[in-house]
Amino acid sequence: MFYTWVDDKEKLQERLGLLNASSSALWGRMNAQQMIEHLIVLFEISNKKQETLILTPEKHLPKSQAFLMSDELLPKNFVAKFLPIDPSPCVYSSIEEAISKLVFYLDSYHTYWKGREEETLNHPVFGMLNKVKWDRVHNKHIHHHFLQFGLVK
């Protein structure tokens, strides 16, 4: 079971506060700030600030969504086909600014979905998702990257 990070902003901020510009990942190519900015992009998609196509073939979406709703972890060193192999350069001037923006987008996420829980927005891998499934995406995704940086066990 994954912790409900999207519903506990204080705990999310507490864990993020353990990171600094020199924090090292246990695996993967991203540094701590790139990881936070990577999380921001998914929040932008789930807030309808950025739109995306569904890249998974329709016949594979049931299996993809079954994985999403399972307790299976995202695999270490997994790079989605739509992401570049090398991490994107940082957009924000510091890790602190990136954390602040992530918290802003988490708040925006809750504002966007209030009263729209059954509407859907595209996710590139998992397809059309309502609020419950977007919560699952974020919680599973955050957990994956917190494992990557040793913020959870």
Side-chain angles (χ1 to χ4, degrees), residues 49-105:
K49 301 286 184 216
Q50 239 190 80
E51 294 196 18
T52 188
L53 298 174
I54 298 169
L55 303 175
T56 301
E58 192 169 336
K59 68 181 181 179
H60 297 301
L61 286 173
K63 184 177 179 183
S64 182
Q65 287 199 7
F67 170 78
L68 171 64
M69 300 312 288
S70 77
D71 286 335
E72 279 185 75
L73 297 174
L74 293 168
K76 292 178 182 177
N77 292 309
F78 173 76
V79 179
K81 292 177 185 175
F82 62 91
L83 293 174
I85 296 293
D86 292 319
S88 299
C90 292
V91 173
Y92 301 104
S93 62
S94 68
I95 192 168
E96 294 80 14
E97 183 183 4
I99 291 170
S100 177
K101 284 293 184 182
L102 178 59
V103 171
F104 168 80
Y105 279 110

Coordinates of all heavy atoms in Angstrom, one line a residue, residues 49-105:
K49 N -2.8 21.9 -16.7 CA -1.9 23.0 -17.1 C -1.1 22.6 -18.4 O -0.6 23.4 -19.1 CB -1.0 23.4 -16.0 CG -1.6 23.8 -14.7 CD -2.2 25.1 -14.8 CE -2.8 25.5 -13.5 NZ -4.0 26.3 -13.6
Q50 N -1.0 21.3 -18.6 CA -0.3 20.7 -19.7 C -1.1 19.6 -20.2 O -1.7 18.8 -19.4 CB 1.1 20.1 -19.2 CG 2.3 20.7 -19.9 CD 3.5 19.9 -19.5 OE1 3.7 18.8 -20.1 NE2 4.3 20.3 -18.6
E51 N -1.3 19.5 -21.5 CA -2.1 18.3 -22.0 C -1.2 17.3 -22.6 O -0.1 17.6 -23.0 CB -3.1 18.8 -23.0 CG -4.2 19.7 -22.4 CD -5.4 19.9 -23.2 OE1 -5.6 19.2 -24.2 OE2 -6.1 20.9 -22.9
T52 N -1.6 16.1 -22.6 CA -0.8 15.0 -23.1 C -1.7 14.0 -23.9 O -2.9 13.9 -23.6 CB 0.0 14.3 -22.0 OG1 0.9 13.3 -22.6 CG2 -1.0 13.5 -21.1
L53 N -1.1 13.3 -24.8 CA -1.7 12.2 -25.5 C -1.6 11.0 -24.7 O -0.7 10.8 -24.0 CB -1.1 12.1 -26.9 CG -1.2 13.2 -27.9 CD1 -0.4 12.9 -29.1 CD2 -2.6 13.6 -28.2
I54 N -2.5 10.0 -25.0 CA -2.3 8.7 -24.4 C -1.5 7.9 -25.4 O -1.8 7.7 -26.5 CB -3.7 8.0 -24.2 CG1 -4.6 8.8 -23.2 CG2 -3.5 6.6 -23.7 CD1 -6.0 8.4 -23.2
L55 N -0.3 7.5 -24.9 CA 0.7 6.8 -25.8 C 0.6 5.3 -25.7 O 1.1 4.6 -26.6 CB 2.1 7.3 -25.4 CG 2.3 8.8 -25.5 CD1 3.7 9.1 -25.0 CD2 2.0 9.3 -26.9
T56 N -0.1 4.7 -24.7 CA -0.3 3.3 -24.6 C -1.4 2.9 -25.6 O -2.4 3.5 -25.6 CB -0.7 2.9 -23.1 OG1 0.3 3.4 -22.2 CG2 -0.9 1.4 -23.0
P57 N -1.1 1.8 -26.4 CA -2.1 1.3 -27.3 C -3.4 0.9 -26.4 O -3.3 0.4 -25.3 CB -1.5 0.1 -27.9 CG 0.0 0.4 -27.8 CD 0.2 1.1 -26.5
E58 N -4.6 1.2 -27.0 CA -5.8 1.0 -26.3 C -5.9 -0.4 -25.8 O -6.4 -0.7 -24.7 CB -7.0 1.3 -27.2 CG -8.3 1.4 -26.4 CD -9.4 2.0 -27.2 OE1 -9.2 2.7 -28.2 OE2 -10.6 1.7 -26.9
K59 N -5.5 -1.4 -26.5 CA -5.6 -2.8 -26.1 C -4.8 -3.1 -24.9 O -5.1 -4.1 -24.2 CB -5.2 -3.8 -27.2 CG -3.8 -3.7 -27.6 CD -3.5 -4.7 -28.8 CE -2.0 -4.7 -29.2 NZ -1.7 -5.6 -30.2
H60 N -3.8 -2.3 -24.5 CA -2.9 -2.5 -23.4 C -3.4 -1.7 -22.1 O -2.8 -1.9 -21.1 CB -1.5 -2.2 -23.7 CG -0.9 -3.1 -24.7 ND1 -0.8 -4.4 -24.6 CD2 -0.4 -2.7 -25.9 CE1 -0.2 -4.9 -25.7 NE2 0.0 -3.9 -26.5
L61 N -4.4 -0.8 -22.3 CA -4.8 0.1 -21.2 C -5.3 -0.7 -20.0 O -5.0 -0.3 -18.9 CB -5.7 1.2 -21.7 CG -5.1 2.3 -22.5 CD1 -6.1 3.2 -23.0 CD2 -4.1 3.1 -21.6
P62 N -6.1 -1.7 -20.2 CA -6.6 -2.5 -19.0 C -5.5 -3.0 -18.2 O -5.5 -2.9 -16.9 CB -7.5 -3.6 -19.6 CG -8.0 -3.0 -20.9 CD -6.8 -2.2 -21.4
K63 N -4.5 -3.6 -18.8 CA -3.3 -4.1 -18.1 C -2.6 -3.0 -17.4 O -2.1 -3.1 -16.2 CB -2.4 -4.9 -19.0 CG -1.3 -5.6 -18.3 CD -0.4 -6.4 -19.3 CE 0.8 -7.0 -18.6 NZ 1.6 -7.7 -19.5
S64 N -2.4 -1.9 -18.1 CA -1.7 -0.7 -17.5 C -2.4 -0.2 -16.3 O -1.8 0.1 -15.3 CB -1.6 0.3 -18.6 OG -0.9 1.4 -18.2
Q65 N -3.8 -0.1 -16.4 CA -4.5 0.4 -15.2 C -4.6 -0.6 -14.1 O -4.6 -0.2 -12.9 CB -5.9 0.9 -15.7 CG -5.9 2.2 -16.5 CD -7.2 2.9 -16.5 OE1 -8.2 2.5 -15.9 NE2 -7.2 3.9 -17.3
A66 N -4.6 -1.9 -14.4 CA -4.5 -2.9 -13.4 C -3.2 -2.7 -12.6 O -3.2 -2.8 -11.3 CB -4.6 -4.3 -14.0
F67 N -2.1 -2.5 -13.3 CA -0.8 -2.2 -12.6 C -0.9 -1.0 -11.7 O -0.5 -1.0 -10.6 CB 0.3 -2.1 -13.6 CG 1.6 -1.6 -13.0 CD1 2.4 -2.5 -12.3 CD2 2.0 -0.3 -13.1 CE1 3.6 -2.0 -11.6 CE2 3.1 0.2 -12.5 CZ 3.9 -0.7 -11.7
L68 N -1.5 0.1 -12.3 CA -1.6 1.3 -11.5 C -2.3 1.1 -10.2 O -1.9 1.5 -9.1 CB -2.4 2.4 -12.3 CG -2.8 3.6 -11.6 CD1 -1.6 4.4 -11.1 CD2 -3.7 4.5 -12.5
M69 N -3.4 0.3 -10.2 CA -4.2 0.1 -9.0 C -3.7 -1.0 -8.1 O -4.1 -1.2 -7.0 CB -5.7 -0.2 -9.4 CG -6.3 0.9 -10.2 SD -6.1 2.6 -9.5 CE -7.2 2.5 -8.1
S70 N -2.6 -1.7 -8.5 CA -2.0 -2.7 -7.7 C -1.0 -2.1 -6.7 O -0.7 -0.9 -6.8 CB -1.3 -3.7 -8.6 OG 0.0 -3.1 -9.0
D71 N -0.5 -2.9 -5.8 CA 0.5 -2.5 -4.9 C 1.9 -2.7 -5.4 O 2.9 -2.6 -4.7 CB 0.3 -3.2 -3.5 CG -0.9 -2.6 -2.8 OD1 -1.2 -1.4 -3.0 OD2 -1.4 -3.3 -1.9
E72 N 2.0 -3.1 -6.7 CA 3.3 -3.3 -7.3 C 4.1 -2.0 -7.4 O 3.5 -0.9 -7.8 CB 3.2 -3.9 -8.7 CG 3.0 -5.3 -8.8 CD 3.0 -5.8 -10.2 OE1 4.1 -5.9 -10.8 OE2 2.0 -6.1 -10.8
L73 N 5.4 -2.0 -7.1 CA 6.2 -0.8 -7.2 C 6.6 -0.5 -8.6 O 6.6 -1.5 -9.4 CB 7.5 -1.0 -6.4 CG 7.4 -1.2 -4.9 CD1 8.8 -1.5 -4.3 CD2 6.8 0.0 -4.2
L74 N 6.8 0.7 -9.0 CA 7.4 1.1 -10.2 C 8.8 0.5 -10.2 O 9.5 0.6 -9.2 CB 7.4 2.6 -10.5 CG 6.1 3.3 -10.6 CD1 6.2 4.8 -10.5 CD2 5.4 2.9 -11.9
P75 N 9.3 -0.1 -11.3 CA 10.6 -0.7 -11.3 C 11.7 0.4 -11.2 O 11.6 1.5 -11.8 CB 10.7 -1.4 -12.7 CG 9.5 -1.1 -13.4 CD 8.5 -0.3 -12.6
K76 N 12.8 0.1 -10.6 CA 13.9 0.9 -10.5 C 14.5 1.1 -11.9 O 14.4 0.2 -12.7 CB 15.0 0.3 -9.6 CG 14.7 0.3 -8.1 CD 15.8 -0.4 -7.3 CE 15.4 -0.5 -5.9 NZ 16.4 -1.2 -5.1
N77 N 15.0 2.3 -12.2 CA 15.7 2.6 -13.4 C 14.7 2.6 -14.6 O 15.2 2.6 -15.8 CB 16.9 1.7 -13.7 CG 18.0 2.0 -12.7 OD1 18.4 3.2 -12.6 ND2 18.5 1.0 -12.1
F78 N 13.4 2.6 -14.4 CA 12.5 2.6 -15.5 C 12.4 4.0 -16.1 O 12.4 5.0 -15.4 CB 11.1 2.2 -14.9 CG 10.0 2.4 -15.9 CD1 9.8 1.5 -17.0 CD2 9.1 3.5 -15.9 CE1 8.8 1.6 -17.9 CE2 8.1 3.6 -16.8 CZ 8.0 2.7 -17.8
V79 N 12.5 4.1 -17.4 CA 12.4 5.3 -18.1 C 11.2 5.2 -19.1 O 11.3 4.3 -20.0 CB 13.6 5.8 -18.8 CG1 13.4 7.1 -19.6 CG2 14.8 5.9 -17.9
A80 N 10.1 5.9 -18.9 CA 9.0 5.8 -19.8 C 9.4 6.1 -21.2 O 10.3 7.0 -21.4 CB 7.8 6.7 -19.3
K81 N 8.8 5.5 -22.2 CA 9.1 5.7 -23.6 C 9.0 7.2 -24.0 O 9.7 7.6 -24.9 CB 8.3 4.8 -24.5 CG 8.6 3.4 -24.3 CD 7.7 2.5 -25.2 CE 8.0 1.0 -24.9 NZ 7.1 0.1 -25.6
F82 N 8.2 7.9 -23.4 CA 7.9 9.3 -23.8 C 8.9 10.3 -23.1 O 8.9 11.5 -23.4 CB 6.5 9.8 -23.5 CG 6.1 9.7 -22.0 CD1 6.3 10.8 -21.2 CD2 5.6 8.6 -21.5 CE1 5.9 10.8 -19.9 CE2 5.2 8.5 -20.1 CZ 5.4 9.6 -19.4
L83 N 9.8 9.8 -22.2 CA 10.7 10.6 -21.5 C 12.1 10.5 -22.2 O 12.4 9.4 -22.6 CB 10.9 10.2 -20.0 CG 9.6 10.5 -19.2 CD1 9.9 9.9 -17.8 CD2 9.3 11.9 -19.1
P84 N 12.9 11.5 -22.1 CA 14.2 11.4 -22.7 C 15.1 10.5 -21.7 O 14.8 10.4 -20.5 CB 14.8 12.9 -22.7 CG 13.9 13.6 -21.7 CD 12.6 12.9 -21.6
I85 N 16.1 9.9 -22.3 CA 17.0 9.0 -21.5 C 17.7 9.8 -20.5 O 17.8 9.4 -19.3 CB 18.0 8.3 -22.4 CG1 17.3 7.3 -23.4 CG2 19.0 7.5 -21.6 CD1 16.6 6.1 -22.7
D86 N 18.2 11.0 -20.9 CA 18.9 11.9 -20.0 C 17.9 12.8 -19.4 O 17.0 13.3 -20.0 CB 20.0 12.6 -20.7 CG 21.1 11.7 -21.1 OD1 21.5 10.8 -20.3 OD2 21.7 11.8 -22.2
P87 N 18.0 13.1 -18.1 CA 17.1 14.0 -17.4 C 17.1 15.4 -18.0 O 18.2 15.9 -18.5 CB 17.6 14.1 -16.0 CG 18.5 12.9 -15.8 CD 19.1 12.6 -17.2
S88 N 16.0 16.1 -18.0 CA 15.9 17.5 -18.5 C 16.7 18.4 -17.5 O 16.8 18.2 -16.3 CB 14.4 17.9 -18.5 OG 13.7 17.1 -19.3
P89 N 17.2 19.5 -18.1 CA 17.9 20.5 -17.3 C 16.9 21.1 -16.3 O 15.7 21.2 -16.6 CB 18.4 21.5 -18.3 CG 18.2 20.9 -19.6 CD 17.3 19.8 -19.5
C90 N 17.4 21.6 -15.2 CA 16.5 22.2 -14.2 C 15.9 23.5 -14.7 O 16.6 24.3 -15.4 CB 17.3 22.5 -12.9 SG 17.8 21.0 -12.1
V91 N 14.7 23.7 -14.4 CA 14.0 25.0 -14.8 C 14.1 26.0 -13.7 O 14.3 27.2 -14.0 CB 12.5 24.6 -15.0 CG1 11.7 25.9 -15.2 CG2 12.3 23.7 -16.2
Y92 N 14.1 25.6 -12.4 CA 14.1 26.5 -11.3 C 15.5 26.7 -10.8 O 16.4 25.9 -11.0 CB 13.2 25.9 -10.2 CG 11.7 25.7 -10.7 CD1 11.2 24.5 -11.0 CD2 10.9 26.8 -10.9 CE1 10.0 24.3 -11.5 CE2 9.6 26.7 -11.4 CZ 9.2 25.4 -11.7 OH 7.9 25.3 -12.2
S93 N 15.7 27.9 -10.1 CA 17.0 28.3 -9.8 C 17.6 27.5 -8.6 O 18.8 27.6 -8.4 CB 17.0 29.8 -9.5 OG 16.2 30.1 -8.4
S94 N 16.7 26.8 -7.8 CA 17.3 26.1 -6.7 C 16.3 25.0 -6.3 O 15.1 25.0 -6.7 CB 17.4 27.0 -5.4 OG 16.1 27.4 -5.0
I95 N 16.8 24.0 -5.5 CA 15.9 22.9 -5.1 C 14.8 23.5 -4.2 O 13.7 23.0 -4.2 CB 16.8 21.8 -4.4 CG1 15.9 20.6 -4.2 CG2 17.4 22.3 -3.1 CD1 16.7 19.4 -3.8
E96 N 15.1 24.5 -3.4 CA 14.1 25.1 -2.5 C 12.9 25.7 -3.4 O 11.7 25.5 -3.0 CB 14.7 26.2 -1.6 CG 15.7 25.6 -0.6 CD 17.1 25.4 -1.2 OE1 17.4 25.8 -2.3 OE2 17.8 24.7 -0.5
E97 N 13.3 26.4 -4.5 CA 12.2 26.9 -5.3 C 11.4 25.8 -6.0 O 10.2 25.9 -6.1 CB 12.9 27.8 -6.4 CG 11.8 28.5 -7.3 CD 12.4 29.3 -8.4 OE1 13.6 29.3 -8.6 OE2 11.6 29.9 -9.2
A98 N 12.1 24.7 -6.4 CA 11.4 23.6 -7.0 C 10.4 22.9 -6.0 O 9.3 22.6 -6.4 CB 12.4 22.5 -7.5
I99 N 10.9 22.8 -4.8 CA 10.0 22.2 -3.7 C 8.8 23.1 -3.5 O 7.6 22.7 -3.4 CB 10.7 22.0 -2.4 CG1 11.8 20.9 -2.6 CG2 9.8 21.7 -1.2 CD1 12.7 20.7 -1.4
S100 N 9.0 24.4 -3.5 CA 7.9 25.4 -3.3 C 6.9 25.3 -4.5 O 5.7 25.3 -4.3 CB 8.5 26.8 -3.2 OG 7.5 27.7 -3.2
K101 N 7.4 25.1 -5.7 CA 6.5 25.0 -6.9 C 5.8 23.6 -6.8 O 4.6 23.6 -7.2 CB 7.3 25.0 -8.2 CG 7.7 26.4 -8.5 CD 6.5 27.3 -8.9 CE 7.0 28.6 -9.3 NZ 5.8 29.5 -9.7
L102 N 6.4 22.6 -6.4 CA 5.7 21.3 -6.2 C 4.6 21.4 -5.3 O 3.4 21.0 -5.5 CB 6.7 20.2 -5.8 CG 6.0 18.8 -5.6 CD1 5.4 18.3 -6.9 CD2 7.1 17.8 -5.1
V103 N 4.8 22.1 -4.1 CA 3.7 22.3 -3.1 C 2.6 23.1 -3.7 O 1.4 22.8 -3.5 CB 4.3 22.9 -1.8 CG1 3.2 23.3 -0.9 CG2 5.2 21.9 -1.2
F104 N 3.0 24.2 -4.5 CA 2.0 25.0 -5.2 C 1.1 24.2 -6.1 O -0.1 24.3 -6.1 CB 2.7 26.1 -6.0 CG 1.8 26.8 -6.9 CD1 0.9 27.8 -6.5 CD2 1.8 26.5 -8.3 CE1 0.1 28.5 -7.4 CE2 0.9 27.2 -9.2 CZ 0.1 28.2 -8.7
Y105 N 1.8 23.3 -6.9 CA 1.0 22.4 -7.8 C 0.2 21.4 -7.1 O -0.9 21.0 -7.6 CB 1.9 21.8 -8.9 CG 2.2 22.8 -10.0 CD1 3.5 23.4 -10.2 CD2 1.2 23.2 -10.9 CE1 3.8 24.3 -11.2 CE2 1.5 24.1 -11.9 CZ 2.8 24.6 -12.0 OH 3.0 25.6 -13.0

